[in-house]
Amino acid sequence: MSEGKKEILLGDCLELMKALPDNSIDLVFTSPPYWKAEKYQGNLSSHNLYKKFDDWLENFLFKMLDHSFASLIENGHLVINISDMYGNHTYNRIVQPILEKYKNYETYVIGYRMTKRINSKSNNTGVFCEPIIVVKK
């Protein structure tokens, strides 16, 4: 991108991120699709491409975050809107692995622990929101 030019890119994140030069983006905001929960890409849904949660985490989510982080300028921000989730009758941790991945950077989490949603019929305790993770490069 040229100096002063602003663009919003829309498309397959793994393909778009490959084309971006490193150290060229001020801010990346992403709300990645959830494994086994997204229903809007048909056969191209990440859960169809990655049958196991650990494969999805490493080969989809972390790969996309790696490309995103590399594209950031110094002091740029990666903002991720995602939560832990249930899939295949298993509680899949997503937030903690992301925090571990970026533990050497200035990181903030907004809204991770909240009370249950009003009228929730669940007796479970835990995360009841989609936190926003902010990582400064």
Side-chain angles (χ1 to χ4, degrees):
M1 286 195 270
S2 64
E3 185 65 31
K5 185 177 179 183
K6 308 298 180 218
E7 293 183 57
I8 296 175
L9 304 174
L10 178 63
D12 181 322
C13 66
L14 293 178
E15 293 304 314
L16 286 173
M17 297 310 289
K18 288 179 196 174
L20 292 174
D22 288 354
N23 305 306
S24 64
I25 304 294
D26 296 317
L27 171 77
V28 174
F29 179 90
T30 183
S31 181
Y34 286 95
W35 181 75
K36 292 285 186 189
E38 65 184 279
K39 302 294 181 197
Y40 47 81
Q41 288 288 334
N43 290 336
L44 297 178
S45 293
S46 63
H47 73 269
N48 283 330
L49 300 174
Y50 305 98
K51 299 295 184 189
K52 295 181 180 177
F53 175 76
D54 290 340
D55 290 339
W56 173 87
L57 190 68
E58 290 297 324
N59 298 309
F60 173 76
L61 184 63
F62 283 177
K63 188 174 181 180
M64 182 270 299
L65 294 177
D66 289 343
H67 286 302
S68 297
F69 200 73
S71 72
L72 290 173
I73 62 170
E74 190 68 28
N75 295 316
H77 290 85
L78 174 61
V79 181
I80 311 157
N81 177 221
I82 197 162
S83 180
D84 297 342
M85 50 104 38
Y86 284 95
N88 285 0
H89 307 287
T90 303
Y91 187 70
N92 296 296
R93 297 201 176 276
I94 301 171
V95 174
Q96 199 59 44
I98 292 173
L99 295 176
E100 182 64 26
K101 182 174 185 59
Y102 295 105
K103 68 183 176 185
N104 295 323
Y105 295 90
E106 192 174 329
T107 305
Y108 305 92
V109 180
I110 302 168
Y112 188 49
R113 294 280 177 208
M114 297 175 68
T115 58
K116 291 182 186 179
R117 292 185 178 115
I118 296 172
N119 298 323
S120 172
K121 295 181 177 154
S122 172
N123 290 325
N124 294 333
T125 58
V127 178
F128 296 98
C129 65
E130 286 185 316
I132 296 176
I133 302 164
V134 181
V135 183
K136 182 178 178 183
K137 185 174 183 183

